[in-house]
Amino acid sequence: MRATMKALKAGSPVTEATCKNYDLSSAVMPMVSGLPGPSDGLKPYHVVLGRGVQNYTCASATATPTPKGAVATLYNISCAAAMDSTDRNNLTASMVPAAYEYPESSSGPLPQFNNPMFNISGHHYFSDDKTPTFNLVMKQTGPPPTNAEIPLSNYGIYFANVSSKAVAAPTLGDESTSRAGEAAVQWLKLSVTSPAPAPYKVMVEDQKSAKEIFRVNTVGGNANAGDCANHADGKQFSVPYAAEYWFWG
């Protein structure tokens, strides 16, 4: 049975009071054999839950699906990750499969969380086929007549190297699978490209401290050869996924 968010809806330890001064310095990121750890000297900077889709295309009905990037909304779960390291309640691990169960959303906190602490930190997408991008700058349009943008949060904008370190997702029962027992998408270690690769640029105010990005606790997102039977026209198709992303700097 997949995890639910009942604990976060009623009596959740993640509140405005408990999250006021959370400390990520001792947070423990999930790891799996074969995945290199963070480089020496780096500390957890920000932790998000990504909920979105992995994209694919097929060259023929019998081909293996070709990855074509991803799109996801990123929710701030840094406070929950910090709590994981103190009371071992494994909050973040339960949040990922719960988020996977809910249809993709980009308009506000996921309804299961029912908690204002899990605000949107930003969005993940590919700027081109080789450039995974994490935009953690949130703004809203101000009132007329100027309609000037109002900053909400800023954890930086990052372009990563697609030549990542990747390992198969561990077998964790149905919490790490999507359809008919399929394995989830791989766990990854990404290196931030600095300065930003041409032709992209990052404004000074959006240059923050993250140097490495990890994708862990993945659920769903894998396409299989059978999918190409229905997508032989070469058009892009999507497979839902959820995952934790840890930013280290």
Side-chain angles (χ1 to χ4, degrees), residues 105-137:
S105 170
S106 59
S107 59
L110 289 170
Q112 294 123 305
F113 295 176
N114 193 28
N115 191 319
M117 300 313 299
F118 303 120
N119 292 321
I120 294 177
S121 278
H123 298 88
H124 170 43
Y125 50 90
F126 274 58
S127 295
D128 55 52
D129 286 347
K130 298 182 178 180
T131 311
T133 305
F134 298 84
N135 186 335
L136 304 184
V137 178

Side-chain angles (χ1 to χ4, degrees), residues 72-93:
T73 302
L74 305 176
Y75 299 87
N76 186 351
I77 60 169
S78 293
C79 180
M83 289 184 176
D84 269 355
S85 65
T86 56
D87 62 16
R88 317 310 299 172
N89 55 21
N90 209 22
L91 275 174
T92 58

Side-chain angles (χ1 to χ4, degrees), residues 11-147:
S12 170
V14 183
T15 66
E16 185 174 0
T18 59
C19 288
K20 187 174 183 180
N21 295 305
Y22 69 84
D23 181 8
L24 270 177
S25 62
S26 59
V28 179
M29 181 176 69
M31 288 296 292
V32 65
S33 178
L35 185 67
S39 297
D40 291 344
L42 299 185
K43 296 180 179 181
Y45 167 68
H46 194 56
V47 185
V48 299
L49 185 158
R51 172 65 178 94
V53 296
Q54 296 285 323
N55 298 319
Y56 298 88
T57 59
C58 294
S60 70
T62 58
T64 298
T66 300
K68 286 293 181 180
V71 177
T73 302
L74 305 176
Y75 299 87
N76 186 351
I77 60 169
S78 293
C79 180
M83 289 184 176
D84 269 355
S85 65
T86 56
D87 62 16
R88 317 310 299 172
N89 55 21
N90 209 22
L91 275 174
T92 58
S94 69
M95 293 167 71
V96 179
Y100 173 80
E101 293 290 350
Y102 191 78
E104 184 183 3
S105 170
S106 59
S107 59
L110 289 170
Q112 294 123 305
F113 295 176
N114 193 28
N115 191 319
M117 300 313 299
F118 303 120
N119 292 321
I120 294 177
S121 278
H123 298 88
H124 170 43
Y125 50 90
F126 274 58
S127 295
D128 55 52
D129 286 347
K130 298 182 178 180
T131 311
T133 305
F134 298 84
N135 186 335
L136 304 184
V137 178
M138 292 297 295
K139 300 177 181 179
Q140 68 179 17
T141 303
T146 62
N147 296 320

Side-chain angles (χ1 to χ4, degrees), residues 186-210:
Q186 295 172 313
W187 292 29
L188 301 175
K189 177 182 181 178
L190 299 165
S191 297
V192 173
T193 302
S194 182
Y200 310 112
K201 295 181 179 180
V202 178
M203 302 294 290
V204 173
E205 62 268 25
D206 299 331
Q207 296 175 13
K208 303 299 180 179
S209 63

